[in-house]
Amino acid sequence: MAELDTPDLRTTYLGLALKNPLVPSSTPLSRSLDPVLHLEDAGAAAIVMHSLFEEDVINDERMMDRFLIHPDTFGEAAGHLPADTGYQSKLDTYLEQIECLKARLSIPVIASLNGSSLSGWVELGREMEAAGADALELNAWYMASDPALTGTALEERYLALLRELTAVVKIPVTMKLSPFFSALPNFVARIEAAGGAGVSLFNRFFQPDIDLDTLSVVDRVQLSSPADGLLTMRWIALLHGHTSLSLAATGGVHGAEDALKMLLAGADVVHMASALLKNGPQALTETLAGMTRWMREREYESVAQLKGSMSQRRLADPSAFARAAYLNAIDSFSPPPGVRY
């Protein structure tokens, strides 16, 4: 049999036509131009920029007010302060990076906002849009440590944030969600009703740890493993066909097998981060090559053909992604050889 033509890897995400489904997610790599150019050369179909954190913007505003606008120093002490040489805030730097990436890249640039309060988001979104961002990822995260805060109230906080943004920007806005919502399909439906264009599942939080030697709380970066993607794959499979939002799978994608599973479950795009941080741009190239090889071997003509073909609604046994899978997994477990109880 003659060799099949190269499969069509094109997909659509947030209304953006992409050459393939692989999109590097928010990492420090996008702070500099060269790493992003290398990712584009390696096959990236779009780039999600590193997040602009709400705390950084607030701290910049306080610094500006303290030292440049309302300095409350004594006259003699003020003479020892450095002259104002044009302080550049983190927001200014971020907007300049958007403009730089848009000028040099031929792929879409998705800006990222990380925060939880309602104040200031409208203006930030407007400025990112004006700088040239093709879309905006809203990485809203609020640690619900207050016992009086209900789940409904927390969801409404996020939705109010989304409504505020979508009312004033024309570019699509997607929400990057945590896996901790108690009724995710309902919340996704409310995101769609509030004007969202997509959801990214799931946000991986860097959890604080305790150092037993120093008895101190420490922050450690913990990169993902393929096992981290199983929860995402399950929920993508459950949501596919029940929402018109774009579905992005993020977390745990380290190669072609992981990416293909997400697409079969129903993802429109697959985000990669840890694999790129550990192995460089070649991880992306190798993933694309592996996907193409697998699709050729199984005579898939396009990503559109395989996408969602193993979502819950397309399976002969829909219980495979439901509670029955949990019961089956427990019943099928057996201890490793040599382990005695």
Side-chain angles (χ1 to χ4, degrees):
M1 186 178 71
E3 184 179 1
L4 291 174
D5 293 334
T6 300
D8 183 356
L9 299 182
R10 289 177 297 175
T11 188
T12 301
Y13 178 56
L14 304 176
L16 303 170
L18 304 184
K19 60 186 179 181
N20 66 65
L22 297 189
V23 177
S25 60
S26 180
T27 71
L29 294 173
S30 63
R31 294 180 186 273
S32 302
L33 176 61
D34 284 350
V36 182
L37 291 174
H38 293 154
L39 289 172
E40 182 182 34
D41 291 342
I47 185 75
V48 181
M49 292 181 62
H50 61 285
S51 289
L52 177 66
F53 283 82
E54 176 185 7
E55 292 87 347
D56 286 338
V57 175
I58 292 172
N59 289 337
D60 274 341
E61 290 173 349
R62 289 173 178 166
M63 288 289 289
M64 289 284 288
D65 184 72
R66 172 69 177 84
F67 292 109
L68 301 181
I69 301 174
H70 300 297
D72 57 354
T73 56
F74 293 104
E76 182 178 353
H80 297 286
L81 290 174
D84 176 15
T85 56
Y87 173 77
Q88 187 171 39
S89 68
K90 287 185 171 62
L91 174 58
D92 294 331
T93 301
Y94 195 91
L95 296 175
E96 285 188 4
Q97 184 66 350
I98 294 176
E99 293 174 351
C100 176
L101 294 179
K102 285 298 297 177
R104 295 292 303 275
L105 299 176
S106 61
I107 57 177
V109 174
I110 302 171
S112 175
L113 274 173
N114 188 307
S116 62
S117 72
L118 294 178
S119 61
W121 289 95
V122 169
E123 189 57 36
L124 291 176
R126 279 177 175 158
E127 295 198 49
M128 289 180 174
E129 181 178 43
D134 296 288
L136 178 60
E137 183 179 85
L138 182 55
N139 192 346
W141 177 48
Y142 181 79
M143 177 65 74
S145 57
D146 182 358
L149 180 64
T150 66
T152 301
L154 179 63
E155 289 182 7
E156 187 53 41
R157 176 193 288 261
Y158 290 160
L159 294 172
L161 196 81
L162 177 62
R163 293 189 197 101
E164 187 178 6
L165 269 175
T166 56
V168 298
V169 299
K170 295 182 176 62
I171 58 176
V173 179
T174 183
M175 293 198 77
K176 191 171 187 178
L177 302 180
S178 79
F180 305 132
F181 293 96
S182 58
L184 185 66
N186 176 265
F187 186 44
V188 169
R190 295 172 70 196
I191 289 173
E192 185 173 356
V199 288
S200 181
L201 310 177
F202 286 111
N203 200 345
R204 290 184 65 252
F205 302 118
F206 294 123
Q207 308 290 358
D209 198 359
I210 293 178
D211 189 310
L212 294 178
D213 292 326
T214 62
L215 292 182
S216 61
V217 177
V218 294
D219 295 320
R220 293 193 176 99
V221 174
Q222 297 175 339
L223 299 180
S224 72
S225 70
D228 293 319
L230 296 179
L231 182 64
T232 293
M233 184 188 70
R234 183 182 200 178
W235 276 110
I236 292 284
L238 291 169
L239 289 171
H240 178 77
H242 296 284
T243 179
S244 63
L245 296 180
S246 288
L247 299 176
T250 184
V253 176
H254 286 253
E257 290 188 2
D258 305 322
L260 286 163
K261 290 175 184 178
M262 296 299 186
L263 294 170
L264 288 165
D268 295 296
V269 295
V270 177
H271 290 313
M272 297 182 70
S274 294
L276 302 178
L277 292 171
K278 289 197 297 186
N279 303 312
Q282 65 267 23
L284 202 153
T285 305
E286 292 168 0
T287 299
L288 279 174
M291 290 170 57
T292 300
R293 184 167 54 251
W294 185 90
M295 291 174 67
R296 271 182 175 160
E297 290 172 354
R298 287 155 184 82
E299 300 185 358
Y300 280 101
E301 296 179 358
S302 67
V303 162
Q305 181 186 359
L306 69 84
K307 187 168 64 177
S309 59
M310 293 196 67
S311 63
Q312 185 189 45
R313 68 179 306 186
R314 299 279 293 275
L315 291 180
D317 178 15
S319 67
F321 284 110
R323 181 175 172 84
Y326 175 77
L327 300 176
N328 293 338
I330 292 176
D331 290 342
S332 64
F333 176 79
S334 58
V339 176
R340 300 179 61 186
Y341 290 92

